Amino acid sequence: MAKGHILVVEDERDISDLLKLQLQSMDYQVTVIENGDSALELIQTPVEQRENSTPIDLYILDRMLPGTDGLEICKFLRMYRQTKEKPILMVTALTEPEHIIEGLDAGGDDYINKPFDINILAARVRSLMRRSTQMEKSNAATEEVITLGPITLDMSQCKVSIDGSDLDLTLSEYKLMVAFFHQPGKVLTRNQLVEFIQDGPVHVTDRTIDTHVFGLRKKLGDHSELIETIRGIGYRVKSYV
């Protein structure tokens, strides 16, 4: 039985063939589309009317495509009710930080640069699929308490604790923890974090985010490595298996 269904939108045949072969070897169903417009058409077709009627669990999008590009497809997936919480892996030959940030700000969960190591890609896919499963379970249970390793976020009481000991966090630090804990393993850009903690007329900047993360790490003490810096892009919280 397949572990899940992955849609690959990639117009370079050598790369799409490599992706399909690798993902099938990992026991995933794989659908490959080479054109952005065709991908949007498939996404909007009801599952029961598709040739492969299995719901798609992960989207792997090339950034540059004929027709609608990967960035626009990513934005659509995030706005479309049926797909807004599905994981998206962006594949791009554009390696500048601003290009990567564009993809993440558009809604991508992770990215990988061409040419890529197939083992690293496999690890990214496993991580995204695992996180998607965790999120589905969390949504089904409407959990108010999220635990990552020794750290617990209790939404009902607005508190964070380590091994049962509460941390004294500012409101902005708490908001950052909420953002991180609801998407463990996902790279969050500074722009995304600014939007998350922005409060009314108070102006939050990229530098302010860095200051809050610095303070948060100090309060996490021996567990400060939980928050990883993604150089030139933003931050993410490690996923615990």
Side-chain angles (χ1 to χ4, degrees):
M1 182 177 179
K3 295 179 181 177
H5 183 191
I6 298 175
L7 175 64
V8 175
V9 189
E10 169 62 65
D11 65 319
E12 294 185 52
R13 180 61 62 85
D14 289 346
I15 294 178
S16 63
D17 286 347
L18 176 64
L19 287 170
K20 185 173 184 178
L21 183 64
Q22 175 64 29
L23 295 170
Q24 286 180 334
S25 74
M26 297 166 65
D27 295 327
Y28 293 112
Q29 290 185 48
V30 183
T31 298
V32 176
I33 293 180
E34 298 179 356
N35 181 282
D37 293 340
S38 299
L40 281 179
E41 183 178 347
L42 174 68
I43 290 164
Q44 296 176 79
T45 301
V47 174
E48 61 274 10
Q49 296 179 19
R50 298 174 187 170
E51 183 176 344
N52 183 338
S53 59
T54 306
I56 296 168
D57 302 294
L58 169 66
Y59 295 84
I60 299 181
L61 306 177
D62 184 15
R63 173 70 185 266
M64 295 179 288
L65 293 164
T68 307
D69 67 23
L71 204 63
E72 292 305 313
I73 296 173
C74 186
K75 292 176 182 177
F76 180 82
L77 288 169
R78 285 293 168 253
M79 292 187 296
Y80 197 46
R81 182 175 60 84
Q82 288 87 340
T83 60
K84 64 181 181 179
E85 294 185 352
K86 296 294 185 179
I88 302 170
L89 175 62
M90 302 292 293
V91 180
T92 177
L94 303 173
T95 59
E96 294 299 317
E98 57 266 29
H99 295 135
I100 296 169
I101 289 170
E102 282 180 346
L104 295 171
D105 279 344
D109 293 283
D110 204 348
Y111 68 92
I112 191 165
N113 293 127
K114 298 179 182 178
F116 51 80
D117 182 290
I118 197 66
N119 293 316
I120 293 177
L121 178 128
R124 299 282 178 86
V125 168
R126 285 194 297 269
S127 176
L128 288 171
M129 292 294 280
R130 182 170 59 245
R131 177 150 49 87
S132 179
T133 300
Q134 291 171 345
M135 184 176 294
E136 287 177 3
K137 290 179 179 178
S138 177
N139 289 343
T142 60
E143 290 181 345
E144 292 186 324
V145 177
I146 305 171
T147 299
L148 289 179
I151 304 175
T152 298
L153 169 70
D154 188 335
M155 295 284 291
S156 64
Q157 300 185 54
C158 296
K159 70 178 184 180
V160 177
S161 59
I162 298 178
D163 292 327
S165 298
D166 294 346
L167 297 181
D168 183 16
L169 302 181
T170 66
L171 178 58
S172 293
E173 289 169 348
Y174 173 75
K175 287 182 176 181
L176 284 177
M177 290 296 279
V178 171
F180 288 139
F181 269 52
H182 276 89
Q183 302 179 86
K186 178 177 178 176
V187 180
L188 297 175
T189 68
R190 288 177 174 82
N191 287 343
Q192 288 173 324
L193 293 171
V194 165
E195 291 178 6
F196 197 86
I197 71 170
Q198 189 84 44
D199 189 11
V202 178
H203 182 58
V204 180
T205 65
D206 286 4
R207 183 57 62 92
T208 305
I209 294 295
D210 293 338
T211 301
H212 288 318
V213 170
F214 177 78
L216 195 50
R217 280 175 167 155
K218 286 185 66 176
K219 293 177 181 180
L220 290 173
D222 294 340
H223 304 289
S224 61
E225 75 283 354
L226 178 76
I227 303 175
E228 296 181 305
T229 299
I230 309 302
R231 189 175 298 277
I233 298 173
Y235 300 93
R236 70 176 163 199
V237 162
K238 294 179 182 178
S239 295
Y240 279 80
V241 180

